[in-house]
């Protein structure tokens, strides 16, 4: 893959149609993932594993599927970890470059910081949105309307945790209210965290300070009557930024609710994925759908699944049960322990006979004593 440095200004509009090959994606991957703590203490949100694959791989696959191969990661938190996981993008079929912030610049500042790496049209993605949105249809909508900025919108029952977007005639954005309070709710359409922006608009973002796309940049477009449209998609969509949603995203992937070309490592056998080098006692059972990471060991009489994700090099003790649980790498689960609907980060140790229940999130290296009971 080539690493295009610069694009002719308006290549994406040549002949009226949009050419996705001349579009650059900027993925906002610089947040601290505070709502996903303690998982994000040692692993930044953009690369938390979903079915043992770093989250960003799903976004890169979506971009690639829609013909977008030129991608910039806008980073500021745990940059070296992100770089180590994603590299130059070759493995994911894209050319990946990095725009690194010295201090966090916010969601608009992070895009501004990538300005020298982008061409005529920019696709901005929040780095925590799992979706199978039809970006091709969104690009066509943008071109047809002669829009300067287009937001992908989705519908949710409660917009208070999101950016509420009210549309006017022809799909023009009329109001944008970030994290509205309950009295401000006039619609169920929210900002789904994917934008198409003409590059020239980036000049509106002041340099060298924190700028929010939601609280400053979008309201500025409205005030100046820039052609600014909302495109309502009817696709799978989830912000994975809280433990419950991070787990939900994986249950949805396991259930086939998300159209993606990413698949976990290994072979699909009986509805579950098993990576290489797994040592399974003949009396161990795996219930579909589940994912077992490379080099994991499953002891006699243990049961993994349904809906379990076991990271690489885990050890599941004899008679233990792991169900609906997301378990990262090198976790040791004692004999007859039970893990249900919880999340366990790397290298945690679960004592024999312990019970870890719904909603529990264990940080990396956590030690649960034998026979302990945590959660529901
Ligand atoms: N580069 C960079 N620098 N990225 C940042 C920074 C920063 O200073 N701050 C946040 N980000 C990234 C995060 O990593 C994340 O991928 C994205 O920007 C959005 O930040 P969140 O903290 O996840 O925002 P949110 O979920 O509360 O709200 C946003 O997403 C909603 C949809 O999920 C808003 O865009 C809402 O309007 C939207 O509805
Ligand atoms: Mg978010």
């Amino acid at each position: 893959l080539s690493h295009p440095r610069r694009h002719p200004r308006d290549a994406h509009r040549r002949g009226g149609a949009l050419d996705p090959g001349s579009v650059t994606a900027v993925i906002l991957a610089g947040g601290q993932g505070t709502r996903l703590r303690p998982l994000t203490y040692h692993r930044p949100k953009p690369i938390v594993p979903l079915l043992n694959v770093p989250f960003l791989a799903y976004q890169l696959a979506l971009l690639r599927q829609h013909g977008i191969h030129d991608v910039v990661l806008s980073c500021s938190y745990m940059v070296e970890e992100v770089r180590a996981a994603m590299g130059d993008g070759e493995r994911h079929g894209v050319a990946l470059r990095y725009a690194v912030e010295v201090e966090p610049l916010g969601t608009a500042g992070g895009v501004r910081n990538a300005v020298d790496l982008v061409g005529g049209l920019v696709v901005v993605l929040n780095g925590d949105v799992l979706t199978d949105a039809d970006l091709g249809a969104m690009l066509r909508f943008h071109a047809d309307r002669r829009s300067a900025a287009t937001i992908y919108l989705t519908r949710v029952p409660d917009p208070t945790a999101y950016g509420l977007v009210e549309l006017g005639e022809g799909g023009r954005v009329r109001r944008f209210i970030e994290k509205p309070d309950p009295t401000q709710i006039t619609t169920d359409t929210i900002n789904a965290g994917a934008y198409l922006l003409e590059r020239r608009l980036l000049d509106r973002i002041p340099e060298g300070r924190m700028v929010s796309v939601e609280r400053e940049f979008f309201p500025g477009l409205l005030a100046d009557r820039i052609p600014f449209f909302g495109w309502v998609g009817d696709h799978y969509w989830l912000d994975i930024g809280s433990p419950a949603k991070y787990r939900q995203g994986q249950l949805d992937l396991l259930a086939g609710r998300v159209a993606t070309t990413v698949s976990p490592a290994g072979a699909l056998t009986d509805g579950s994925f098993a990576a290489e080098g797994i040592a399974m006692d003949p009396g161990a059972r795996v219930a579909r759908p589940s994912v077992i990471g490379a080099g994991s060991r499953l002891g006699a009489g243990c049961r993994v699944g349904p809906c379990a994700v076991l990271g690489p090099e885990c050890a599941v003790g004899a008679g233990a049960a792991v169900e609906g649980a997301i378990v990262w790498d090198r976790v040791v689960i004692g004999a007859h322990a039970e893990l249900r609907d919880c999340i366990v980060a790397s290298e945690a140790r679960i004592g024999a006979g312990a019970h870890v229940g719904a909603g529990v999130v264990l940080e990396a290296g956590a030690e649960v004593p034998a026979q302990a009971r945590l959660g529901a």
Side-chain angles (χ1 to χ4, degrees), residues 105-172:
L105 292 173
T107 45
V111 179
R112 178 72 166 90
N113 197 43
V115 71
D116 291 339
L117 304 178
V118 306
L121 184 64
V122 188
V123 181
V124 178
L125 293 181
N126 280 355
D128 60 354
V129 164
L130 179 64
T131 180
D132 51 21
D134 185 350
L135 297 179
M138 186 177 173
L139 284 162
R140 287 191 294 278
F141 173 95
H142 181 85
D144 289 349
R145 302 291 150 118
R146 305 206 154 272
S147 176
T150 302
I151 319 186
Y152 167 38
L153 307 180
T154 192
R155 296 182 195 282
V156 294
D158 177 13
T160 51
Y162 304 101
L164 176 138
V165 183
E166 219 180 271
L167 295 182
E169 212 164 299
R172 261 189 106 121

Side-chain angles (χ1 to χ4, degrees), residues 28-31 35 45 74-76 101 104-107 110 126-129 162-163 176 178-179 190-191 195 214 237 239:
L28 289 165
R35 284 161 294 182
K45 180 165 69 167
S74 167
C75 295
S76 81
E101 291 151 41
L105 292 173
T107 45
N126 280 355
D128 60 354
V129 164
Y162 304 101
F176 189 109
E178 183 63 13
K179 310 284 187 298
I190 59 137
N191 167 22
Y195 322 123
E214 300 86 354
W237 183 87
D239 178 328

Side-chain angles (χ1 to χ4, degrees), residues 21-376:
S22 67
V23 174
T24 306
V26 175
I27 303 182
L28 289 165
Q32 302 201 356
T34 48
R35 284 161 294 182
L36 209 46
R37 286 176 185 163
L39 299 172
T40 42
Y41 281 134
H42 302 287
R43 204 167 315 190
K45 180 165 69 167
I47 57 163
V48 292
L50 268 72
L51 309 191
N52 294 339
V53 179
F55 174 69
L56 282 177
Y58 294 86
Q59 289 195 326
L60 298 184
L62 177 74
L63 292 167
R64 194 188 54 217
Q65 211 181 326
H66 291 285
I68 300 162
H69 296 99
D70 182 28
V71 186
V72 179
L73 290 186
S74 167
C75 295
S76 81
Y77 175 68
M78 297 183 87
V79 182
E80 287 321 307
E81 284 78 355
V82 177
R83 213 190 280 270
M86 305 312 296
D88 64 1
E90 200 182 340
R91 219 170 347 125
H92 304 279
V94 299
L96 209 51
R97 287 173 290 160
Y98 294 78
V100 175
E101 291 151 41
V102 181
E103 294 290 326
L105 292 173
T107 45
V111 179
R112 178 72 166 90
N113 197 43
V115 71
D116 291 339
L117 304 178
V118 306
L121 184 64
V122 188
V123 181
V124 178
L125 293 181
N126 280 355
D128 60 354
V129 164
L130 179 64
T131 180
D132 51 21
D134 185 350
L135 297 179
M138 186 177 173
L139 284 162
R140 287 191 294 278
F141 173 95
H142 181 85
D144 289 349
R145 302 291 150 118
R146 305 206 154 272
S147 176
T150 302
I151 319 186
Y152 167 38
L153 307 180
T154 192
R155 296 182 195 282
V156 294
D158 177 13
T160 51
Y162 304 101
L164 176 138
V165 183
E166 219 180 271
L167 295 182
E169 212 164 299
R172 261 189 106 121
V173 174
R174 192 162 57 196
R175 275 212 311 170
F176 189 109
I177 314 170
E178 183 63 13
K179 310 284 187 298
D181 62 56
T183 61
Q184 292 176 301
I185 292 172
T186 49
T187 173
D188 62 352
T189 43
I190 59 137
N191 167 22
Y195 322 123
L196 298 176
L197 304 178
E198 297 294 323
R199 184 188 189 276
R200 64 187 149 76
L201 293 186
L202 307 193
D203 297 339
R204 303 173 56 92
I205 306 170
E207 264 183 295
R209 70 164 170 90
M210 176 91 100
V211 186
S212 159
V213 109
E214 300 86 354
R215 295 179 194 277
E216 190 170 342
F217 178 76
F218 286 151
L221 298 184
L222 289 174
D224 294 343
R225 301 181 180 282
I226 306 282
F228 179 23
F229 288 85
W231 176 75
V232 187
D234 181 21
H235 304 92
Y236 178 88
W237 183 87
L238 185 75
D239 178 328
I240 59 139
S242 70
K245 291 191 168 161
Y246 164 69
R247 197 177 74 88
Q248 185 59 48
Q250 295 179 75
L251 300 182
D252 292 340
L253 285 164
L254 284 172
R257 286 191 275 266
V258 193
T260 177
T261 56
V262 177
S263 85
L268 183 63
T269 317
D270 291 335
S272 292
F273 281 92
E276 59 197 26
I278 293 169
M280 208 169 137
D281 185 278
R285 280 183 301 144
V286 175
R288 69 195 294 175
S290 293
V291 175
I292 318 282
S296 282
R297 289 170 288 132
L298 276 60
C302 77
R303 190 172 57 115
V304 175
C307 301
V309 179
L310 215 56
E313 289 172 48
C314 288
V316 184
V322 183
E323 188 178 325
I326 309 300
V327 179
W328 288 12
D329 53 301
R330 289 169 287 158
V331 171
V332 177
I333 301 167
H336 301 285
E338 276 185 42
L339 269 59
R340 288 194 203 280
D341 302 338
C342 57
I343 305 169
V344 181
S346 308
E347 293 180 61
R349 304 180 78 85
I350 315 296
H355 186 285
V356 184
V360 175
V361 183
L362 295 178
E363 69 180 306
E367 303 221 1
V368 176
Q371 311 301 334
R373 293 188 78 81
L374 301 180

